[in-house]
């Protein structure tokens, strides 16, 4: 007889294995080939929105495809290779997923990135050519600032210039000059309302000097009428002059601050005397004509009626004696001068002039 065969069936399941979660690091890719890890603050990656280097999510190869997603979606973009593009300031969670395969289950992990705004610094703006130097004309001046960094208006917000006068020893004054009008040197600072990429600058001088505005003095010419008076006469005061070059603002002509002074009086002796010329208005560079002006005192002839010959009008010969007469001359200043003149030694008539 044959032994009967007993049949059976059984099920056996091999479950998919769990794979380790991705270990995610964010790195920069520098032009030098280096790939340093981004800075972390309290375990969170932090990067400035203005960063120009490429940023990548670096993960080891997992089982199945690796995918990337971000939340919220408007802070950064990340492509299928993990390359990150910064869009705006904010905090974002990056999820990296190993999708798994026929033998491994999917697994994922997250990393947090904080994108922060940058701060403006000295040199981020420059003065547009031909807008930094002027000549005084009585009107307010300003420069045109242009960014030296790659930005659009929305990145920084509204930019406002602030002008501070610079003293002769290069010290910056503490009070802002609202409308630079007068000759001088002005340091330029900025404030901004802030934008998508840069923090607001709310206080002047927070960011360093961006440049200087120069307003040069205007040229003016003053022609001096060099006076000439006779000895004893009233001197000319003030000394007359004419000017060319002063600006007229709202119908009022600028005062150049001209002073002309000569040390002369009615009793100053005959001669030429220096006229000291000064201009005190700092908005002008004044040229005086002539360059070395003088005040001239000339002789004033004495009239016959002003001469009085005092005694003796005559005398007797005395051997060995020279005869003298006394002459009083009234000069033009109404003061009298007494002169003693020698006449002669021998008897005779003499004419004294």
């Amino acid at each position: 007889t044959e032994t009967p065969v007993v049949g059976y069936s059984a099920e056996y399941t091999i479950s998919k294995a769990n794979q380790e979660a991705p270990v995610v690091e964010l790195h920069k890719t520098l032009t030098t080939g280096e790939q340093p890890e981004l800075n972390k603050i309290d375990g969170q990656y932090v990067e400035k929105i203005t960063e120009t280097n490429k940023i990548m999510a670096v993960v080891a190869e997992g089982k199945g495809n690796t995918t990337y997603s971000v939340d919220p979606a408007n802070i950064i973009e990340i492509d299928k290779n993990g390359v990150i593009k910064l869009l705006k300031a904010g905090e974002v969670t990056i999820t990296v997923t190993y999708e798994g395969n026929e033998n491994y289950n999917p697994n994922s992990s997250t990393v947090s990135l904080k994108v922060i705004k940058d701060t403006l610094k000295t040199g981020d703006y420059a003065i547009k050519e031909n807008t930094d130097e002027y000549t005084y004309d009585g009107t307010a001046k300003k420069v045109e600032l242009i960014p030296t960094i790659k930005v659009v208006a929305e990145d920084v917000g509204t930019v406002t210039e602030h002008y501070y006068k610079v003293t002769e020893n290069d010290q910056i004054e503490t009070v802002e000059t609202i409308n630079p009008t007068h000759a001088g040197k002005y340091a330029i600072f900025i404030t901004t309302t802030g934008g998508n990429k840069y923090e607001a600058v709310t206080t002047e001088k927070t960011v360093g000097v961006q440049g200087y505005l120069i307003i040069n003095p205007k040229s003016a010419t003053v022609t001096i009428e060099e006076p000439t008076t006779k000895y004893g006469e009233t001197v000319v005061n003030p000394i007359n002059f004419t000017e060319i070059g002063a600006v007229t603002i709202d119908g009022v002509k600028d005062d150049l601050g001209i002073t002309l002074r000569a040390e002369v009086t009615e009793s100053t002796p005959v001669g030429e005397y220096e006229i000291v010329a000064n201009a005190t208005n700092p908005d002008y560079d004044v040229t005086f004509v002539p360059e070395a002006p003088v005040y001239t005192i000339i002789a004033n002839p004495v009239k016959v009626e002003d001469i009085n010959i005092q005694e003796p009008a005559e005398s007797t010969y005395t051997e060995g004696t020279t005869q003298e007469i006394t002459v009083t001359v009234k000069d033009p200043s109404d003061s009298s001068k007494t002169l003693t003149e020698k006449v002669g030694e021998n008897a005779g008539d003499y004419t004294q002039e």
Side-chain angles (χ1 to χ4, degrees):
T1 63
E2 295 181 357
T3 304
V5 178
V6 179
Y8 71 93
S9 64
E11 294 183 358
Y12 185 85
T13 301
I14 300 176
S15 299
K16 290 184 179 182
N18 292 326
Q19 60 177 316
E20 293 184 0
V23 177
V24 185
E25 292 182 350
L26 301 184
H27 288 249
K28 294 181 182 181
T29 301
L30 306 182
T31 55
T32 59
E34 298 179 82
Q35 292 186 318
E37 188 175 6
L38 265 62
N39 291 330
K40 281 185 176 181
I41 299 177
D42 296 330
Q44 182 184 44
Y45 285 109
V46 178
E47 188 57 287
K48 291 180 179 179
I49 184 65
T50 52
E51 176 60 50
T52 57
N53 293 299
K54 184 185 294 184
I55 301 173
M56 296 189 66
V58 178
V59 295
E61 185 177 351
K63 308 299 182 181
N65 293 330
T66 302
T67 61
Y68 304 89
S69 63
V70 295
D71 183 40
N74 61 344
I75 305 298
I76 68 170
E77 289 179 353
I78 187 166
D79 67 13
K80 63 181 181 179
N81 298 312
V83 178
I84 296 170
K85 179 181 180 181
L86 307 179
L87 300 178
K88 60 183 291 186
E91 296 188 33
V92 62
T93 298
I94 302 170
T95 300
V96 180
T97 300
Y98 292 151
E99 291 187 335
N101 54 26
E102 67 275 10
N103 293 320
Y104 288 90
N105 290 317
N107 203 352
S108 62
S109 60
T110 61
V111 64
S112 178
L113 171 62
K114 183 176 184 179
V115 182
I116 61 174
K117 294 181 181 181
D118 205 345
T119 54
L120 290 171
K121 60 184 181 301
T122 302
D124 283 346
Y125 277 80
I127 301 174
K128 186 177 180 180
E129 188 177 2
N130 298 325
T131 69
D132 62 339
E133 189 166 359
Y134 299 88
T135 296
Y136 168 78
D137 63 5
T139 63
K141 307 300 180 186
K142 64 180 298 183
V143 302
E144 184 177 346
L145 290 177
I146 54 176
T148 58
I149 51 179
K150 190 175 181 179
V151 291
V152 295
E154 292 78 12
D155 293 338
V156 294
T158 301
V159 179
T160 304
E161 306 99 46
H162 302 268
Y163 299 88
Y164 287 80
K165 191 78 175 288
V166 178
T167 63
E168 291 183 357
N169 58 352
D170 286 335
Q171 297 297 310
I172 297 174
E173 295 183 351
T174 57
V175 179
E176 179 182 356
T177 302
I178 303 302
N179 295 305
T181 301
H182 298 285
K185 181 179 181 181
Y186 299 84
I188 304 166
F189 297 89
I190 61 172
T191 55
T192 69
T193 56
N196 294 333
K197 292 186 177 181
Y198 287 87
E199 297 284 359
V201 180
T202 57
T203 305
E204 301 105 37
K205 301 184 182 179
T206 300
V207 181
V209 176
Q210 300 297 322
Y212 294 91
L213 167 66
I214 305 295
I215 301 178
N216 294 308
K218 186 180 185 300
S219 296
T221 301
V222 170
T223 302
I224 301 170
E225 299 178 15
E226 295 177 289
T228 298
T229 53
K230 294 178 181 180
Y231 171 80
E233 292 183 348
T234 301
V235 297
V236 176
N237 186 23
I239 298 171
N240 296 321
F241 64 88
T242 58
E243 62 182 50
I244 299 175
V247 172
T248 299
I249 304 172
D250 296 330
V252 179
K253 191 175 183 181
D254 275 352
D255 182 1
L256 300 183
I258 303 299
T259 58
L260 303 173
R261 179 176 54 83
E263 296 293 340
V264 294
T265 64
E266 295 175 1
S267 59
T268 300
V270 171
E272 291 186 344
Y273 297 89
E274 176 189 10
I275 297 175
V276 179
N278 288 300
T280 59
N281 191 330
D283 289 329
Y284 291 88
D285 182 10
V286 176
T287 299
F288 289 98
V289 179
E291 185 176 348
V294 294
Y295 192 117
T296 303
I297 305 292
I298 61 175
N300 195 347
V302 178
K303 299 176 183 178
V304 172
E305 57 266 28
D306 290 332
I307 299 175
N308 179 27
I309 300 177
Q310 297 181 357
E311 59 180 33
E314 61 180 43
S315 62
T316 302
Y317 169 78
T318 303
E319 184 178 356
T321 301
T322 299
Q323 301 298 320
E324 296 179 345
I325 62 172
T326 300
V327 180
T328 301
V329 180
K330 179 182 179 183
D331 69 20
S333 62
D334 289 331
S335 60
S336 296
K337 292 185 178 180
T338 300
L339 307 175
T340 300
E341 300 287 340
K342 293 181 179 181
V343 177
E345 297 179 355
N346 301 315
D349 295 325
Y350 293 87
T351 299
Q352 188 69 22
E353 294 182 355

